[in-house]
Amino acid sequence: AQRVTQPEKLLSVFKGAPVELKCNYSYSGSPELFWYVQYSRQRLQLLLRHISRESIKGFTADLNKGETSFHLKKPFAQEEDSAMYYCALSGRFGNNRLAFGKGNQVVVIP
Amino acid sequence: GAGVSQSPRYKVAKRGQDVALRCDPISGHVSLFWYQQALGQGPEFLTYFQNEAQLDKSGLPSDRFFAERPEGSVSTLKIQRTQQEDSAVYLCASSPGTVQNQPQHFGDGTRLSIL
Protein backbone atom coordinates (compact mmCIF):
# COMPACT_ATOMS: atom_id res chain seq x y z
CA ALA A 1 0.00 0.00 0.00
CA GLN A 2 1.09 3.54 -0.57
CA ARG A 3 1.22 6.12 2.19
CA VAL A 4 2.43 9.70 2.48
CA THR A 5 3.26 11.18 5.87
CA GLN A 6 3.61 14.87 6.64
CA PRO A 7 4.33 14.97 10.36
CA GLU A 8 3.85 18.67 11.12
CA LYS A 9 0.42 20.15 10.66
CA LEU A 10 1.28 23.80 11.25
CA LEU A 11 4.57 25.55 10.63
CA SER A 12 5.15 29.18 11.53
CA VAL A 13 8.31 30.90 10.33
CA PHE A 14 9.54 34.45 10.18
CA LYS A 15 10.03 36.14 6.85
CA GLY A 16 13.54 35.48 5.62
CA ALA A 17 13.96 32.32 7.68
CA PRO A 18 14.42 28.91 6.05
CA VAL A 19 11.47 26.63 5.54
CA GLU A 20 11.53 22.85 5.46
CA LEU A 21 8.43 20.71 5.10
CA LYS A 22 8.98 17.04 5.72
CA CYS A 23 7.44 14.31 3.61
CA ASN A 24 8.02 10.60 3.97
CA TYR A 25 6.41 7.95 1.85
CA SER A 26 5.82 4.25 1.83
CA TYR A 27 5.65 2.51 -1.53
CA SER A 28 7.18 -0.70 -2.79
CA GLY A 29 7.87 0.40 -6.34
CA SER A 30 9.28 3.51 -8.01
CA PRO A 31 7.00 6.41 -7.17
CA GLU A 32 6.60 9.82 -8.69
CA LEU A 33 6.57 12.50 -5.99
CA PHE A 34 4.88 15.89 -6.13
CA TRP A 35 4.31 18.92 -3.98
CA TYR A 36 0.96 20.67 -4.43
CA VAL A 37 0.11 24.04 -2.90
CA GLN A 38 -3.15 25.75 -2.09
CA TYR A 39 -3.04 29.49 -1.48
CA SER A 40 -5.89 31.21 0.34
CA ARG A 41 -9.08 31.15 -1.72
CA GLN A 42 -7.35 29.43 -4.63
CA ARG A 43 -7.47 25.94 -6.02
CA LEU A 44 -4.94 23.21 -5.44
CA GLN A 45 -2.06 23.57 -7.89
CA LEU A 46 1.19 21.84 -8.67
CA LEU A 47 4.26 23.39 -7.09
CA LEU A 48 6.91 20.98 -8.26
CA ARG A 49 7.61 17.34 -9.08
CA HIS A 50 10.74 15.35 -8.49
CA ILE A 51 11.22 14.28 -12.08
CA SER A 52 11.65 17.89 -13.19
CA ARG A 53 14.46 18.59 -10.72
CA GLU A 54 13.63 22.28 -10.88
CA SER A 55 13.24 25.13 -8.44
CA ILE A 56 9.86 26.81 -8.38
CA LYS A 57 9.35 30.06 -6.44
CA GLY A 58 12.62 29.31 -4.67
CA PHE A 59 11.44 25.89 -3.48
CA THR A 60 13.35 22.68 -4.10
CA ALA A 61 12.73 19.08 -3.15
CA ASP A 62 15.03 16.11 -3.47
CA LEU A 63 13.84 12.56 -3.64
CA ASN A 64 15.83 10.37 -1.24
CA LYS A 65 14.94 6.78 -1.99
CA GLY A 66 17.10 5.46 0.85
CA GLU A 67 15.19 7.49 3.41
CA THR A 68 11.94 7.41 1.38
CA SER A 69 11.66 11.16 1.76
CA PHE A 70 10.81 14.13 -0.43
CA HIS A 71 11.28 17.15 1.82
CA LEU A 72 10.43 20.61 0.51
CA LYS A 73 12.87 23.41 1.24
CA LYS A 74 13.23 27.12 0.72
CA PRO A 75 16.16 29.10 2.13
CA PHE A 76 14.31 32.40 2.69
CA ALA A 77 10.58 32.41 3.33
CA GLN A 78 8.40 35.16 1.87
CA GLU A 79 4.99 36.29 3.06
CA GLU A 80 3.42 35.02 -0.16
CA ASP A 81 4.56 31.52 0.75
CA SER A 82 1.84 31.31 3.39
CA ALA A 83 -0.34 28.46 2.14
CA MET A 84 -1.31 24.83 2.57
CA TYR A 85 1.24 22.38 1.16
CA TYR A 86 0.52 18.77 0.25
CA CYS A 87 3.01 16.08 -0.59
CA ALA A 88 1.64 13.50 -3.03
CA LEU A 89 2.73 10.23 -4.56
CA SER A 90 1.81 8.57 -7.81
CA GLY A 91 2.67 4.93 -8.15
CA ARG A 92 2.34 2.37 -10.84
CA PHE A 93 -1.28 1.61 -10.03
CA GLY A 94 -2.33 1.36 -13.66
CA ASN A 95 -3.31 5.00 -13.59
CA ASN A 96 -1.66 8.05 -12.07
CA ARG A 97 -3.99 8.65 -9.17
CA LEU A 98 -2.42 10.57 -6.31
CA ALA A 99 -2.02 9.59 -2.68
CA PHE A 100 -1.79 12.74 -0.57
CA GLY A 101 -0.40 13.51 2.84
CA LYS A 102 -2.51 15.42 5.34
CA GLY A 103 -0.86 18.69 4.45
CA ASN A 104 1.21 21.41 6.15
CA GLN A 105 -0.19 24.84 6.92
CA VAL A 106 2.65 27.33 6.54
CA VAL A 107 2.34 30.77 8.07
CA VAL A 108 5.06 33.29 7.30
CA ILE A 109 5.25 36.01 9.93
CA PRO A 110 6.26 39.44 8.59
CA GLY B 1 -12.76 27.59 -20.06
CA ALA B 2 -9.10 27.57 -19.19
CA GLY B 3 -9.33 25.33 -16.16
CA VAL B 4 -11.31 22.56 -14.53
CA SER B 5 -14.77 23.78 -13.61
CA GLN B 6 -16.92 22.26 -10.90
CA SER B 7 -20.51 22.98 -9.95
CA PRO B 8 -22.11 23.73 -7.66
CA ARG B 9 -19.45 25.34 -5.46
CA TYR B 10 -21.56 24.67 -2.37
CA LYS B 11 -24.28 22.14 -1.78
CA VAL B 12 -26.37 21.65 1.33
CA ALA B 13 -28.60 18.60 1.53
CA LYS B 14 -30.61 16.81 4.15
CA ARG B 15 -29.58 13.36 5.20
CA GLY B 16 -31.12 10.82 2.88
CA GLN B 17 -31.30 13.08 -0.18
CA ASP B 18 -29.50 12.34 -3.43
CA VAL B 19 -26.94 14.82 -4.79
CA ALA B 20 -25.13 15.21 -8.12
CA LEU B 21 -21.83 17.01 -8.53
CA ARG B 22 -20.55 18.10 -11.92
CA CYS B 23 -17.05 18.39 -13.32
CA ASP B 24 -15.98 20.01 -16.60
CA PRO B 25 -12.36 19.01 -17.23
CA ILE B 26 -9.91 20.90 -19.38
CA SER B 27 -10.85 20.34 -23.01
CA GLY B 28 -9.05 17.36 -24.51
CA HIS B 29 -7.86 15.92 -21.23
CA VAL B 30 -8.03 12.16 -21.30
CA SER B 31 -7.75 11.43 -17.59
CA LEU B 32 -10.27 12.55 -14.99
CA PHE B 33 -10.12 11.94 -11.24
CA TRP B 34 -12.47 12.48 -8.32
CA TYR B 35 -11.14 13.02 -4.81
CA GLN B 36 -12.84 13.50 -1.46
CA GLN B 37 -11.28 15.86 1.06
CA ALA B 38 -12.55 15.76 4.62
CA LEU B 39 -11.88 18.67 6.95
CA GLY B 40 -8.24 18.81 8.00
CA GLN B 41 -7.22 15.96 5.71
CA GLY B 42 -5.54 15.60 2.35
CA PRO B 43 -7.58 14.60 -0.70
CA GLU B 44 -8.47 10.92 -0.93
CA PHE B 45 -8.86 9.18 -4.28
CA LEU B 46 -12.35 8.09 -5.26
CA THR B 47 -12.38 7.10 -8.92
CA TYR B 48 -10.58 7.47 -12.25
CA PHE B 49 -11.76 7.77 -15.86
CA GLN B 50 -9.75 7.39 -19.02
CA ASN B 51 -11.98 9.03 -21.60
CA GLU B 52 -15.41 7.48 -20.98
CA ALA B 53 -14.11 4.32 -19.34
CA GLN B 54 -14.14 4.12 -15.56
CA LEU B 55 -10.94 2.19 -15.00
CA ASP B 56 -10.67 2.45 -11.24
CA LYS B 57 -13.44 2.92 -8.72
CA SER B 58 -11.63 1.34 -5.81
CA GLY B 59 -11.80 4.50 -3.71
CA LEU B 60 -15.58 4.87 -3.71
CA PRO B 61 -16.56 4.41 -0.06
CA SER B 62 -19.84 2.63 -0.67
CA ASP B 63 -22.32 1.61 -3.35
CA ARG B 64 -24.15 4.88 -2.67
CA PHE B 65 -21.44 6.61 -4.69
CA PHE B 66 -21.63 6.48 -8.45
CA ALA B 67 -19.67 8.34 -11.13
CA GLU B 68 -20.00 8.58 -14.88
CA ARG B 69 -18.38 10.27 -17.84
CA PRO B 70 -20.54 9.11 -20.74
CA GLU B 71 -18.99 11.12 -23.58
CA GLY B 72 -15.48 11.30 -22.27
CA SER B 73 -15.67 14.93 -21.21
CA VAL B 74 -18.06 16.11 -18.46
CA SER B 75 -18.29 13.87 -15.42
CA THR B 76 -20.91 13.58 -12.71
CA LEU B 77 -20.44 12.19 -9.22
CA LYS B 78 -23.71 11.09 -7.65
CA ILE B 79 -24.25 10.26 -4.03
CA GLN B 80 -27.47 8.51 -3.11
CA ARG B 81 -29.11 8.55 0.33
CA THR B 82 -26.54 10.95 1.69
CA GLN B 83 -25.17 10.50 5.19
CA GLN B 84 -23.48 13.02 7.48
CA GLU B 85 -20.11 11.38 6.92
CA ASP B 86 -20.38 12.33 3.24
CA SER B 87 -19.82 15.97 4.21
CA ALA B 88 -16.56 16.97 2.55
CA VAL B 89 -15.05 18.88 -0.35
CA TYR B 90 -15.22 16.89 -3.57
CA LEU B 91 -12.39 17.69 -5.96
CA CYS B 92 -12.18 16.91 -9.64
CA ALA B 93 -8.87 16.84 -11.50
CA SER B 94 -7.85 16.18 -15.08
CA SER B 95 -4.62 15.51 -16.90
CA PRO B 96 -3.77 15.44 -20.62
CA GLY B 97 -2.78 11.79 -20.94
CA THR B 98 -2.11 8.73 -18.88
CA VAL B 99 1.59 9.03 -18.14
CA GLN B 100 2.49 8.58 -14.48
CA ASN B 101 4.34 11.84 -13.93
CA GLN B 102 1.85 14.20 -15.57
CA PRO B 103 0.54 16.82 -13.18
CA GLN B 104 -3.13 16.95 -12.43
CA HIS B 105 -5.15 20.14 -12.77
CA PHE B 106 -7.69 20.63 -10.03
CA GLY B 107 -11.01 22.41 -9.90
CA ASP B 108 -12.18 24.57 -7.01
CA GLY B 109 -14.17 21.71 -5.59
CA THR B 110 -17.74 21.31 -4.36
CA ARG B 111 -18.23 21.73 -0.64
CA LEU B 112 -20.99 19.32 0.39
CA SER B 113 -22.70 19.67 3.75
CA ILE B 114 -25.18 17.07 4.90
CA LEU B 115 -27.56 18.18 7.64
Side-chain angles (χ1 to χ4, degrees):
Chain A
Q2 63 284 347
R3 179 182 296 177
V4 177
T5 303
Q6 294 179 250
E8 297 171 339
K9 191 65 178 175
L10 175 64
L11 184 66
S12 297
V13 298
F14 285 100
K15 178 181 174 181
V19 178
E20 182 177 20
L21 302 181
K22 296 188 185 298
C23 173
N24 288 90
Y25 67 89
S26 173
Y27 183 66
S28 58
S30 296
E32 298 289 339
L33 275 297
F34 305 83
W35 277 97
Y36 280 81
V37 61
Q38 187 166 26
Y39 301 102
S40 179
R41 291 186 292 277
Q42 295 188 26
R43 62 185 59 186
L44 196 61
Q45 59 186 280
L46 178 71
L47 179 62
L48 55 78
R49 46 183 169 165
H50 92 268
I51 195 170
S52 300
R53 300 183 180 275
E54 57 193 346
S55 174
I56 303 293
K57 299 183 179 181
F59 286 96
T60 58
D62 291 319
L63 178 61
N64 186 323
K65 292 187 177 180
E67 296 182 357
T68 60
S69 68
F70 189 56
H71 303 328
L72 183 68
K73 300 177 183 179
K74 183 170 181 176
F76 308 104
Q78 303 298 315
E79 289 181 63
E80 56 265 28
D81 297 329
S82 294
M84 195 74 183
Y85 293 80
Y86 294 95
C87 183
L89 174 156
S90 172
R92 300 191 184 280
F93 310 119
N95 60 59
N96 57 346
R97 76 185 198 220
L98 294 169
F100 286 88
K102 291 186 177 182
N104 293 120
Q105 179 72 52
V106 173
V107 177
V108 180
I109 304 166
Chain B
V4 177
S5 177
Q6 291 187 248
S7 61
R9 288 294 308 276
Y10 304 92
K11 176 70 178 177
V12 179
K14 292 182 178 178
R15 187 165 59 93
Q17 288 183 329
D18 298 347
V19 298
L21 313 180
R22 177 188 169 104
C23 173
D24 270 285
I26 294 173
S27 178
H29 276 197
V30 169
S31 294
L32 185 146
F33 303 83
W34 284 99
Y35 295 88
Q36 179 190 60
Q37 186 173 21
L39 189 64
Q41 303 295 316
E44 295 275 349
F45 170 79
L46 292 176
T47 188
Y48 164 70
F49 289 86
Q50 182 177 320
N51 295 308
E52 69 279 3
Q54 189 176 20
L55 298 185
D56 187 349
K57 53 182 181 179
S58 62
L60 296 177
S62 77
D63 58 7
R64 297 186 294 104
F65 287 71
F66 171 78
E68 60 182 2
R69 193 187 185 196
E71 298 179 357
S73 55
V74 171
S75 178
T76 303
L77 176 67
K78 298 179 180 178
I79 310 174
Q80 297 177 324
R81 305 181 303 281
T82 53
Q83 303 293 317
Q84 284 193 323
E85 61 263 28
D86 300 335
S87 296
V89 175
Y90 290 84
L91 296 171
C92 177
S94 68
S95 64
T98 59
V99 178
Q100 183 186 10
N101 57 23
Q102 284 186 331
Q104 295 181 21
H105 302 265
F106 284 82
D108 287 322
T110 294
R111 184 176 296 277
L112 176 64
S113 298
I114 305 300
L115 304 179

